[in-house]
Amino acid sequence: MSEESLDHVISALYEAVLEPDKWQEAVGLCGQFAGGIDAQMLTIDKIQNRVLFAVIAGEAFPLQFNLDYEQHYVKIDPHVTLLRNAKVHEWNFCQRTIFPGVVNRSEFYQDFLLPRGLGYALLAVVDEDESSMTSFVAMRSNEMRPFDSDNKMDALRFSSHLQRAIRMQQKMTGLLNQVDLGAMAIDALAMAILIVDDSGRILHLNQKTEELFKAPASGLKSRFGCITTTEQNQKHKLNKLIFDATRTPAFGGAMELGLAEPRHLYVIPMSASSPFIRDWQRPLALVVVTDNRNNLSALTLTGRLYNLTQAELRVASALLAGNSPEEYALEFGVKLNTVRTQLKSLFSKTGTRRQSELVAVLGRTPPLKNGD
């Protein structure tokens, strides 16, 4: 396969990260690049053996067969069993590892794969962690010749890019669970949110932010790819907030902007463990713009950013006030076990492990300040 074809495949993979509807096209292109006519990418929960994410590309698999696979055939798929012991990016030919006797006795082959006109597979684990495994299978008709070493080398050429795209996709589908917000999470929020670097350059923004930039009275605009204010005397304040949020140690802050439609702008340091920071290799800040008419408190903003329940917000508020879980349980007449369960949920949603880390992360949401 040519370098031009490979560039097309790689571009499709990274486009799919930003536009999930394009995953089927990207998986299909990967399969074709490796010499297949159909392809499947599957992320499986290794403990519960259930499908977390599935893409099947090709005419052999209409929607109903995709559903049948996820609900039943994944549990008996010999490819999945084979891949559990494989190394990441170790591509194998099914004809060398799945013998004719297995095929003849396999419900998966006899009732699912062979009736679709498919018989040969080139497969590998393309990403794996402690709890999940993502596999990729390129398939050929049983009337075609089996996959060979040239197909394997072609698969290796896109394999690492596929892994990176999968990891980026997983980060972006974290939704509202933590302030390491992915692109899909940011887009899902009904408030203007964007991610900027230390120079104010915009790395990601959601639709609400785009609408804000188009409104002359919003007080904000994008200039040469950077966020700035429409009022000259407010530019320095915004630049300083971004500087403070991206230096070490980092500090959050807020300012009021706009004249006809007053709003508050919050600048929040992104955690050093943020996948965005790992990808961009530099300090980043989360910028959140709220309409003053909504009168969001800092705690309410925290709740929206982390998708906290009202009960979790009350526990968070108590912890920020310096109270212990035991003191909170006693004061509000709540069972201590219930508070501990809510605390565990707070740890999970904010990506923290200890109470001190949780308080530090929650405390990063800046208080509302007029003027500065």
Side-chain angles (χ1 to χ4, degrees):
M1 285 286 186
S2 67
E3 289 298 323
E4 183 178 351
S5 297
L6 180 62
D7 289 343
H8 184 47
V9 170
I10 293 171
S11 297
L13 285 173
Y14 293 123
E15 286 177 12
V17 174
L18 299 175
E19 299 181 55
D21 289 344
K22 293 187 175 181
W23 265 112
Q24 189 173 43
E25 177 188 355
V27 167
L29 288 172
C30 287
Q32 292 170 21
F33 191 85
I37 58 173
D38 290 271
Q40 175 196 74
M41 187 174 76
L42 199 67
T43 301
I44 295 178
D45 183 317
K46 294 193 296 185
I47 299 172
Q48 300 182 16
N49 197 32
R50 64 184 179 89
V51 176
L52 301 176
F53 182 65
V55 181
I56 300 180
E59 296 181 359
F61 294 101
L63 177 61
Q64 184 56 48
F65 286 105
N66 293 357
L67 297 174
D68 290 345
Y69 181 86
E70 291 185 36
Q71 293 172 4
H72 175 64
Y73 288 103
V74 66
K75 299 173 184 177
I76 58 173
D77 186 347
H79 299 143
V80 174
T81 304
L82 170 67
L83 291 168
R84 284 187 180 276
N85 298 317
K87 297 178 181 178
V88 176
H89 302 313
E90 183 180 64
W91 290 86
N92 290 293
F93 312 120
C94 70
Q95 69 269 18
R96 292 186 182 175
T97 50
I98 300 176
F99 301 106
V102 174
V103 173
N104 293 336
R105 296 190 304 270
S106 169
E107 177 189 349
F108 172 80
Y109 271 98
Q110 297 302 319
D111 294 350
F112 183 75
L113 202 61
L114 293 176
R116 311 277 76 74
L118 300 172
Y120 297 112
L122 174 65
L123 62 165
V125 175
V126 290
D127 195 30
E128 186 173 22
D129 57 28
E130 292 181 358
S131 61
S132 66
M133 174 185 76
T134 300
S135 62
F136 186 93
V137 182
M139 290 172 278
R140 276 183 173 174
S141 163
N142 47 20
E143 297 178 354
M144 300 172 68
R145 63 180 178 83
F147 288 95
D148 57 27
S149 56
D150 287 339
N151 302 128
K152 182 177 178 179
M153 292 303 297
D154 284 335
L156 282 168
R157 294 172 72 188
F158 67 72
S159 191
S160 61
H161 292 282
L162 179 56
Q163 180 186 43
R164 182 172 176 80
I166 291 165
R167 291 183 176 183
M168 291 173 68
Q169 170 77 2
Q170 290 170 344
K171 293 168 188 174
M172 289 188 173
T173 53
L175 293 178
L176 306 178
N177 289 344
Q178 49 190 337
V179 80
D180 298 337
L181 293 171
M184 291 180 66
I186 291 172
D187 292 338
L189 289 178
M191 63 177 77
I193 293 184
L194 59 160
I195 295 172
V196 299
D197 65 12
D198 54 358
S199 66
R201 183 165 299 279
I202 300 167
L203 305 182
H204 184 79
L205 75 167
N206 65 359
Q207 184 177 349
K208 286 291 181 180
T209 307
E210 292 179 351
E211 294 172 1
L212 203 62
F213 284 156
K214 294 176 183 178
S218 70
L220 281 181
K221 64 180 180 179
S222 172
R223 180 174 173 81
F224 303 122
C226 296
I227 184 174
T228 187
T229 61
T230 55
E231 299 295 322
Q232 188 67 32
N233 63 347
Q234 292 186 318
K235 290 181 180 179
H236 175 71
K237 290 180 182 178
L238 177 58
N239 292 338
K240 187 176 187 308
L241 286 174
I242 294 172
F243 173 79
D244 288 341
T246 53
R247 67 185 176 121
T248 304
F251 297 96
M255 61 181 282
E256 192 173 85
L257 70 157
L259 299 175
E261 300 178 13
R263 291 177 171 83
H264 273 93
L265 178 145
Y266 300 79
V267 182
I268 305 167
M270 295 194 76
S271 165
S273 63
S274 164
F276 279 99
I277 289 182
R278 291 197 297 271
D279 287 343
W280 289 89
Q281 296 296 303
R282 66 183 112 164
L284 302 177
L286 192 71
V287 179
V288 181
V289 184
T290 64
D291 190 326
N292 278 9
R293 290 170 295 184
N294 294 334
N295 196 27
L296 285 181
S297 68
L299 191 59
T300 301
L301 176 60
T302 299
R304 290 198 181 183
L305 288 174
Y306 293 100
N307 196 30
L308 304 182
T309 66
Q310 288 300 314
E312 290 164 354
L313 269 175
R314 288 193 291 270
V315 173
S317 179
L319 295 176
L320 284 170
N323 296 323
S324 68
E326 292 78 8
E327 290 170 334
Y328 172 82
L330 184 62
E331 181 178 352
F332 288 90
V334 181
K335 291 182 179 179
L336 184 56
N337 284 342
T338 301
V339 179
R340 286 172 176 165
T341 299
Q342 292 163 344
L343 192 57
K344 287 181 181 179
S345 180
L346 284 167
F347 288 151
S348 175
K349 290 182 177 182
T350 58
T352 56
R353 296 182 180 180
R354 293 184 294 273
Q355 192 170 315
S356 58
E357 291 179 4
L358 174 64
V359 171
V361 168
L362 295 175
R364 287 196 190 107
T365 306
L368 194 61
K369 298 189 296 183
N370 292 322
D372 308 306

